[in-house]
Amino acid sequence: MQFTSQQRLDDGVLEREFILGEIPGTLWTPGSAPAPLVLMAHNNGLPKAEPRLVARARYTAARGYAVATIDAAGCGDRPRSAADEQARADLRRAMQAGEPVDEIFESFIGPLVDNAVPEWQTTLDALLELPEIGGPVGYSGGWTALGIRLAVVEPRIAAAGFFAGGYVPRAQREEARQFTIPLLFLLQWDDEGNPRQRALDLFDAFGSKEKTLHANPGGHTGTPWFELEDGCRFLDRHLK
């Protein structure tokens, strides 16, 4: 892992860009060390500098956590394959025409998850070697499908917070039954891109003994800010 830039932010958090092989990432760390680690994943081609992600990361780091994110393949400035670009084009066309999109999502999101998991594990290995980071590890993010797979295959992840706003392939919906760590599940009740019943069925499928559902009115990007505060209290219970 090579750090390529750093800056000390007004809240005392140190923000550093890094590169790990072909994987670009950002690490935010608080003044106190060692700190528990929170992985924040994003999808849909968004960059790691997406303002909502950065705001969540900075807030969480200021609460005493090391927070890391990476650009998975096809996200940010990383190259997108011809198959990915075709799937995105097919998805846009189907949505504009009002056609069913589940099968397109299925063929598109599943391979993204398969490719992203090894990169996240490689990143986790490198992060846990840093003296300013000490376990346990949590996961927080809108890429629920990735979080499910990581939590099932990666025993170092002790708790997870998901935003129920993205498509979860059938494979991860089945894997949710093997998901047993504490879970905080956020649902926007009027999310135009995520059928409410599908999200409720997914919550029901999780095998965790401790799982909590927070539902708020509003669309996809309308999650109230106070949910970030509640999310940090959830992390405090399980990572500190």
Side-chain angles (χ1 to χ4, degrees):
M1 176 178 286
Q2 178 183 356
F3 289 103
T4 57
S5 68
Q6 71 174 42
Q7 62 173 329
R8 182 71 66 176
L9 305 175
D10 292 341
D11 50 15
V13 170
L14 181 63
E15 179 184 87
R16 287 175 286 176
E17 300 292 324
F18 65 83
I19 190 79
L20 181 61
E22 298 180 352
I23 308 168
T26 308
L27 174 65
W28 296 265
T29 49
S32 57
L37 175 64
V38 177
L39 308 177
M40 285 194 177
H42 58 285
N43 191 12
N44 297 329
L46 293 174
K48 55 187 175 60
E50 199 277 326
R52 287 183 299 155
L53 172 69
V54 172
R56 294 204 320 268
R58 288 185 56 174
Y59 181 91
T60 305
R63 290 283 297 260
Y65 292 94
V67 181
T69 190
I70 63 171
D71 277 342
C75 291
D77 294 328
R78 294 188 68 181
R80 298 181 182 181
S81 69
D84 286 349
E85 290 297 282
Q86 184 61 54
R88 293 178 192 275
D90 291 343
L91 182 60
R92 287 192 295 268
R93 178 196 56 75
M95 293 179 70
Q96 291 170 358
E99 299 172 359
V101 295
D102 279 8
E103 290 307 315
I104 300 175
F105 270 125
E106 194 72 33
S107 62
F108 177 45
I109 301 297
L112 288 180
V113 172
D114 292 340
N115 292 332
V117 166
E119 291 195 338
W120 270 103
Q121 290 183 298
T122 297
T123 303
L124 180 57
D125 291 340
L127 289 169
L128 290 179
E129 292 180 357
L130 299 175
E132 59 267 40
I133 295 177
V137 180
Y139 179 96
S140 175
W143 197 356
T144 298
L146 174 67
I148 293 171
R149 171 67 62 80
L150 271 178
V152 169
V153 303
E154 184 49 73
R156 290 174 291 186
I157 296 178
F162 294 150
F163 296 88
Y167 182 83
V168 176
R170 286 186 289 268
Q172 277 71 65
R173 280 179 262 161
E174 286 298 318
E175 286 176 327
R177 305 181 190 284
Q178 305 171 45
F179 182 105
T180 58
I181 61 176
L183 169 68
L184 177 61
F185 197 61
L186 302 184
L187 170 62
Q188 285 302 102
W189 202 244
D190 307 298
D191 190 335
E192 57 278 9
N194 185 44
R196 183 186 306 165
Q197 191 58 52
R198 177 181 290 169
L200 294 174
D201 290 343
L202 178 61
F203 178 76
D204 190 51
F206 284 112
S208 304
K209 291 183 179 178
E210 179 184 331
K211 56 181 180 179
T212 302
L213 172 67
H214 285 189
N216 291 282
H220 185 72
T221 61
T223 303
W225 185 253
F226 61 75
E227 289 291 2
L228 185 53
E229 301 172 1
D230 288 347
C232 283
R233 284 193 287 268
F234 167 80
L235 295 173
D236 290 346
R237 290 198 301 274
H238 299 291
L239 303 186
K240 289 186 175 181

